[in-house]
Amino acid sequence: MDALQPVRGTRDLIGEEQRRHAHVVQTARHMAGLYGFDEWSTPIFEDTRVFSRTLGETSDVVAKEMYSFADRGGEQITLRPEGTAAICRALVSNGLTQSLPQKVFYAGPMFRYERPQKGRYRQFHQIGAELIGVSEPFGDAETIALGRDVLAALGVAEVAVLELNTLGDSESRLAWRDALIAYFHEVRGQLSDDSQARLERNPLRILDSKAPADQALVRTAPTIEGYLTGAARGLWDELRRLLDGFGVAFRENPRIVRGLDYYSHTAFEFVTDRLGAQGTVLAGGRYDGLVAEMGGPATPAIGWAGGVERLAMLLAAPPAAPVAVAVVPMGDAVQERAIRVLQALRAAGIRAEAAYRGNFKRRLERANRIGAAFAVILGEDEVARGTAQVKDLASGAQVEVVLDRLAAHILSVR
Ligand code: ATP
Ligand code: MG
């Protein structure tokens, strides 16, 4: 029979890859906890409108990337393409819009129908943080500082630059939008087909275009700088001051617009040059309109999402496999004792495995194959004396240890 394959754009995580992945998620979860963010888990599928109503119909995600289907009962369902809209849905559904601020961390799989390539998959994973109910730029700066500290704890802050922009308030953005439409109209014929279509409906999207044809034109497009209202400029100035206060270095990039429609004011991306075209590892912004679009009251919010696969690739050294001990009984007479030793080691927090079968040599081979650091060898003589031989499998050195002290001994030498 043909061996079945994973679906295009999906991957199995096994061994070192799974350890890298888990390390990214656990590090982020821990750092978010230090900043006072609590973890939420929401379903991986939602009513399609959770996304179609909020991300913007001209966004890449809604226009061509969503996994949507009618379920057996005829409900329109979408596998979540991102976390923020679902968190806002959960905020409203759970009646938490009057219990603000909410500081939310999440981690889990996301689904987008994209062209698979290195760092871009159809099922991928994100870590994310949302600070909901805070309009002060202090919230923006603190949330960005959390992102930077996650990258620092992963040891990748040095290779990821924070690019920062403001999208202003809606008044600033409308004026800028008119300027962009006028500018791109002049060069319409040189734009990619996608961007020609974007021109009428959402010219900001052109700034986010990955088409080479668009990029030279984007470089000389008008920036929002000249169109900011006094209030929007005040917030922008304060944010940059506060980031200095948090010790977060950044580079201003007037072309950062983000791919989804719900952003205003702050927009940012941590970008690396180590991953080719898939260089954005963690990105976000302020989304003050989203909770209202979800049917809740007007609620300010800021957040980010990080790509776990891209961060896992950036990690310098793979997280070490846990130190393991193999318990090697010599003969059936000591089996019962071996079980007690195994369970006692595990109870002491030591990863312990049985070398299941074969003669002594085969069992030691197996201990090596599972990557054990030590073998605990139980012979009849040792058991009679209440001891075991502990063999360091790297050096070959062997010592006899009293069974009562076995766990303590291994913890002290591992
Ligand atoms: P890109 O511009 O690379 O398509 P995006 O703007 O669509 O990214 P966001 O929606 O901001 O991405 O998602 C946040 C992060 O999630 C990205 O910066 C990236 O690290 C990761 N990410 C997004 N899409 C994918 C994907 N298909 N595969 C792997 N990681 C992804
Ligand atoms: Mg994308």
Side-chain angles (χ1 to χ4, degrees):
M1 237 180 303
D2 294 347
L4 297 173
Q5 297 300 317
V7 172
R8 185 166 144 79
T10 70
R11 300 185 321 141
D12 302 310
L13 296 171
I14 297 174
E16 184 193 311
E17 275 205 283
Q18 171 62 28
R19 281 201 301 279
R20 284 176 176 265
H21 197 101
H23 178 67
V24 170
V25 174
Q26 280 159 13
T27 303
R29 179 178 284 134
H30 175 73
M31 192 56 72
L34 295 181
Y35 274 74
F37 285 64
D38 284 328
E39 186 162 2
W40 290 14
S41 294
T42 61
I44 62 167
F45 56 87
E46 294 273 355
D47 183 319
T48 293
R49 289 170 295 181
V50 167
F51 308 107
S52 62
R53 210 197 259 179
T54 54
L55 309 192
E57 53 180 323
T58 59
S59 68
D60 280 355
V61 171
V62 173
K64 52 192 187 199
E65 294 174 358
M66 292 211 302
Y67 275 92
S68 299
F69 57 96
D71 71 8
R72 286 170 191 274
E75 304 288 337
Q76 286 300 323
I77 301 293
T78 294
L79 300 185
R80 63 179 183 197
E82 58 107 49
T84 305
I87 294 293
C88 290
R89 196 275 305 141
L91 179 90
V92 176
S93 315
N94 289 278
L96 294 170
T97 56
Q98 302 306 317
S99 317
L100 300 176
Q102 290 286 335
K103 300 166 78 174
V104 183
F105 170 78
Y106 65 86
M110 306 291 162
F111 305 85
R112 297 183 191 178
Y113 194 81
E114 303 212 56
R115 193 168 69 73
Q117 50 198 295
K118 185 179 167 225
R120 192 176 294 285
Y121 310 98
R122 289 182 175 175
Q123 175 174 331
F124 63 102
H125 297 78
Q126 285 184 340
I127 47 172
E130 316 289 358
L131 173 54
I132 306 172
V134 174
S135 59
E136 290 78 7
F138 189 93
D140 303 55
E142 190 179 35
T143 304
I144 294 172
L146 167 58
R148 193 277 316 267
D149 282 351
V150 168
L151 299 178
L154 291 170
V156 305
E158 240 79 283
V159 296
V161 174
L162 170 58
E163 305 209 326
L164 185 69
N165 192 21
T166 182
L167 302 173
D169 48 22
S170 45
E171 193 185 331
S172 323
R173 215 155 43 249
L174 281 175
W176 180 38
R177 184 192 146 99
D178 287 343
L180 285 172
I181 292 178
Y183 167 82
F184 283 120
H185 249 291
E186 294 287 306
V187 292
R188 192 187 183 109
Q190 300 167 52
L191 286 170
S192 69
D193 290 349
D194 274 353
S195 287
Q196 293 194 18
R198 290 175 182 126
L199 184 47
E200 309 301 334
R201 298 165 69 197
N202 195 343
L204 265 66
R205 267 295 88 71
I206 301 176
L207 302 183
D208 201 31
S209 167
K210 293 182 181 75
D214 298 335
Q215 301 207 333
L217 300 171
V218 163
R219 227 164 284 139
T220 49
T223 66
I224 197 169
E225 189 67 35
Y227 303 91
L228 288 175
T229 60
R233 180 177 304 283
L235 293 172
W236 175 223
D237 289 342
E238 196 179 344
L239 171 62
R240 290 176 292 179
R241 240 189 345 265
L242 287 163
L243 282 173
D244 288 340
F246 276 97
V248 175
F250 59 89
R251 186 161 75 196
E252 289 177 36
N253 179 347
R255 284 174 295 281
I256 299 280
V257 288
R258 310 295 302 117
L260 308 174
D261 273 3
Y262 51 56
Y263 289 109
S264 58
H265 297 290
T266 310
F268 63 94
E269 299 190 354
F270 285 88
V271 182
T272 180
D273 58 8
R274 305 278 168 103
L275 297 176
Q278 273 58 251
T280 305
V281 291
L282 190 149
R286 179 162 279 285
Y287 53 92
D288 292 344
L290 184 50
V291 174
E293 280 170 40
M294 212 57 83
T299 307
I302 165 105
W304 51 254
V308 176
E309 281 78 3
R310 295 182 194 179
L311 291 168
M313 280 192 281
L314 270 190
L315 294 181
V323 173
V325 168
V327 174
V328 183
M330 288 168 63
D332 289 343
V334 295
Q335 192 185 52
E336 208 179 302
R337 193 55 191 237
I339 293 172
R340 272 192 279 148
V341 168
L342 265 177
Q343 297 300 79
L345 290 172
R346 290 166 179 163
I350 297 166
R351 178 180 170 117
E353 295 186 71
Y356 293 104
R357 56 172 168 266
N359 58 25
F360 180 62
K361 186 160 162 278
R362 291 268 317 268
R363 290 186 192 211
L364 268 192
E365 275 167 17
R366 159 135 181 102
N368 275 308
R369 202 163 50 244
I370 63 176
F374 300 97
V376 171
I377 302 160
L378 292 167
E380 285 179 29
D381 292 349
E382 281 87 359
V383 167
R385 286 199 294 273
T387 65
Q389 300 288 339
V390 176
K391 187 179 175 75
D392 181 326
L393 291 171
S395 69
Q398 191 166 309
V399 286
E400 188 163 353
V401 178
V402 176
L403 283 177
D404 289 345
R405 293 212 59 262
L406 188 59
H409 171 77
I410 287 167
L411 289 171
S412 70
V413 293
R414 75 172 181 188

